[in-house]
Amino acid sequence: MNANDAAIGRMLIPAAEIHTRISGLARRISDDYAGVGLLALTVLRGGFVFGADLIRRMDPAIAVQVDFLRAGSYGDGTTSSGRVDVEHPPPVDGRDVLIVEDIVDTGRTLESLQERIRDRGARSLRTVTLLDKEGRPDRRCTLDYVGFRIPDLFVVGYGLDYAQMYRHLPDIHVLNHEPRPEESP
Ligand code: 5GP
């Protein structure tokens, strides 16, 4: 991987399992949007790998359009700052929007995104997330499709970063510890 290998802990979800699950999600989504079409709105940056794999497994007969927005609340740490920034939400007026998220933790990011997309006049709104952290009963966002429910651990790989690193790893791993300065690239 790189000089920060020590920060990468056990593999939580191997790539093969991720791909099997995504095929299942894509089949369900294709069934639900048959004859309707959808705008897949991927949340950057973490969702870019998942979004790219998901749309390529959807039924080619479905009219799929893609767009992106940026949202973030974590900075470079591993706990939520509570403040959600959303940059450049695209026009969604009258569209059937599917938000594509990498991971939902407190649900604040998604709640804020869902509110904004609805306010901007989407005709329908659903959300797919690859990972859903368990044990958050006070969430106010809605999840329509979930890849995996995982324990409350900080994970990296398959698009998910720690301080902008590890997005390229094909499997999902637990982060062992925050890298010490001498381990940084
Ligand atoms: P929430 O607002 O639900 O607390 O946080 C959602 C966002 O925090 C995700 O889109 C993701 O960017 C980041 N996040 C939450 N948990 C993790 C995690 O375990 N690993 C990584 N890399 N990012 C996370």
Side-chain angles (χ1 to χ4, degrees), residues 73-74 80 101-110 133 153-156 160-162:
S73 63
Y74 269 22
S80 180
E101 258 286 22
D102 51 355
I103 185 164
V104 180
D105 181 4
T106 64
R108 280 195 211 107
T109 306
L110 188 56
K133 279 196 193 173
L153 299 164
F154 195 85
V155 293
V156 296
L160 290 148
D161 76 312
Y162 172 74

Side-chain angles (χ1 to χ4, degrees), residues 2-182:
N2 60 26
N4 290 292
D5 274 7
I8 300 298
R10 71 185 163 93
M11 190 191 295
L12 191 65
I13 313 175
E17 217 177 296
I18 298 172
H19 292 293
T20 304
R21 184 71 186 124
I22 291 177
S23 296
L25 288 173
R27 263 197 306 276
R28 275 187 55 205
I29 292 167
S30 298
D31 286 348
D32 290 351
Y33 285 89
V36 180
L38 66 104
L39 172 65
L41 199 53
T42 295
V43 184
L44 298 174
R45 297 173 186 154
F48 82 108
V49 180
F50 174 45
D53 282 345
L54 182 71
I55 58 163
R56 286 179 295 168
R57 287 179 173 80
M58 287 182 191
D59 181 345
I62 307 265
V64 177
Q65 294 186 334
V66 296
D67 215 327
F68 305 89
L69 52 73
R70 269 183 85 154
S73 63
Y74 269 22
D76 281 350
T78 55
T79 53
S80 180
S81 67
R83 187 176 53 89
V84 179
D85 303 316
V86 180
E87 284 177 39
H88 310 304
V92 293
D93 199 27
R95 311 296 301 278
D96 294 292
V97 177
L98 177 69
I99 296 177
V100 181
E101 258 286 22
D102 51 355
I103 185 164
V104 180
D105 181 4
T106 64
R108 280 195 211 107
T109 306
L110 188 56
E111 188 188 329
S112 166
L113 285 179
Q114 289 178 335
E115 226 172 77
R116 282 176 221 205
I117 301 296
R118 280 197 196 97
D119 287 352
R120 292 168 75 91
R123 188 166 74 152
S124 71
L125 178 60
R126 287 186 185 153
T127 299
V128 56
T129 184
L130 180 64
L131 304 174
D132 172 18
K133 279 196 193 173
E134 288 167 337
R136 300 284 193 183
D138 48 346
R139 276 194 201 147
R140 282 179 301 188
C141 57
T142 51
L143 295 178
D144 301 281
Y145 310 96
V146 173
F148 299 92
R149 297 218 152 77
I150 64 165
D152 188 11
L153 299 164
F154 195 85
V155 293
V156 296
Y158 197 75
L160 290 148
D161 76 312
Y162 172 74
Q164 301 307 327
M165 294 184 294
Y166 313 124
R167 294 191 195 276
H168 64 300
L169 304 182
D171 315 285
I172 294 174
H173 296 256
V174 176
L175 188 78
N176 262 343
H177 63 85
E178 304 196 4
R180 289 179 290 277
E182 67 272 18

